[in-house]
Amino acid sequence: DASGRYVEFCKSTFPSDRDLKGLKIYVDCANGAAYHIAPDVYHELGATVVCDGDHPDGFNINEGVGATHTDTLPQRVAKAGCDIGIALDRLIMADSEKVYNGDQLLYLIAKDRLVRRGLAGVVGTLMTNFAVEKKLKSLGVAFHRAKVGDRYVLETLQKEGLQLGGEGSGHLIILDKQTTGDGIVSSLQVLAVLVRNRTTLRDALAE
């Protein structure tokens, strides 16, 4: 029953007073381990789900699909008539017009947390877009740069006593929700922000 337990764990990281009803989500599972988990998570939270990259054969993981192949993600989202696209196993998201990388999604989560509960600092890497650091500092949030790689992001989070970090490639670590760059759990944190504020990726990241 491991898959069922994992589905329930992922759902537990989403606000219990919210759901995904009314959202149509395009999920690219990268022909990886999430192919029989992610669709169930979003569906059980109320979303309509359209799947891609959900036919692994043991050899085709990330083969033209997933978070490492997102050039056509907006077009696929549009063709499927979806509101939002999620590419795993790390996390890259899109709407019908644009791709949003890990730096942008990290900023979205950070800003929401700052407004709702305060935020002492965020960890990025040497590759994190300088605009993210500049914007967070203007909001009074300290920004720490780790070496490239989610293991180094985690080390710096632990060293600095912080909870939120990530890198542009889409590995986001949210220590009060997970200890790894789990794409499903990270996506739920982004979706929670959008649902809570009744907004879209485009509007939330317009600045």
Side-chain angles (χ1 to χ4, degrees), residues 108-162:
L108 184 150
I109 296 171
K111 185 178 179 184
D112 177 73
R113 288 193 164 212
L114 175 64
V115 171
R116 289 191 304 112
R117 61 174 82 168
L119 185 67
V122 171
V123 176
T125 74
L126 298 175
M127 296 290 288
T128 300
N129 192 307
F130 179 62
V132 175
E133 176 180 358
K134 185 176 180 181
K135 185 64 178 177
L136 286 173
K137 285 185 174 179
S138 75
L139 296 172
V141 178
F143 189 82
H144 305 267
R145 288 185 182 266
K147 291 188 290 186
V148 175
D150 53 343
R151 62 174 290 186
Y152 300 113
V153 172
L154 176 58
E155 286 179 2
T156 305
L157 284 171
Q158 294 171 331
K159 177 183 176 183
E160 301 294 336
L162 302 173

Side-chain angles (χ1 to χ4, degrees), residues 48-156:
T48 299
V49 180
V50 176
C51 285
D52 190 12
D54 57 340
H55 292 88
D57 60 14
F59 299 94
N60 63 349
I61 187 169
N62 294 325
E63 195 172 276
V65 291
T68 57
H69 296 88
T70 57
D71 289 349
T72 64
L73 187 57
Q75 291 92 328
R76 287 182 276 150
V77 170
K79 185 177 181 180
C82 290
D83 303 299
I84 198 165
I86 296 171
L88 304 168
D89 60 347
R90 62 193 75 176
L91 178 65
I92 301 294
M93 298 179 76
D95 53 25
S96 60
E97 298 180 358
K98 185 177 179 180
V99 174
Y100 302 88
N101 68 18
D103 286 348
Q104 293 163 298
L105 301 177
L106 177 66
Y107 173 73
L108 184 150
I109 296 171
K111 185 178 179 184
D112 177 73
R113 288 193 164 212
L114 175 64
V115 171
R116 289 191 304 112
R117 61 174 82 168
L119 185 67
V122 171
V123 176
T125 74
L126 298 175
M127 296 290 288
T128 300
N129 192 307
F130 179 62
V132 175
E133 176 180 358
K134 185 176 180 181
K135 185 64 178 177
L136 286 173
K137 285 185 174 179
S138 75
L139 296 172
V141 178
F143 189 82
H144 305 267
R145 288 185 182 266
K147 291 188 290 186
V148 175
D150 53 343
R151 62 174 290 186
Y152 300 113
V153 172
L154 176 58
E155 286 179 2
T156 305

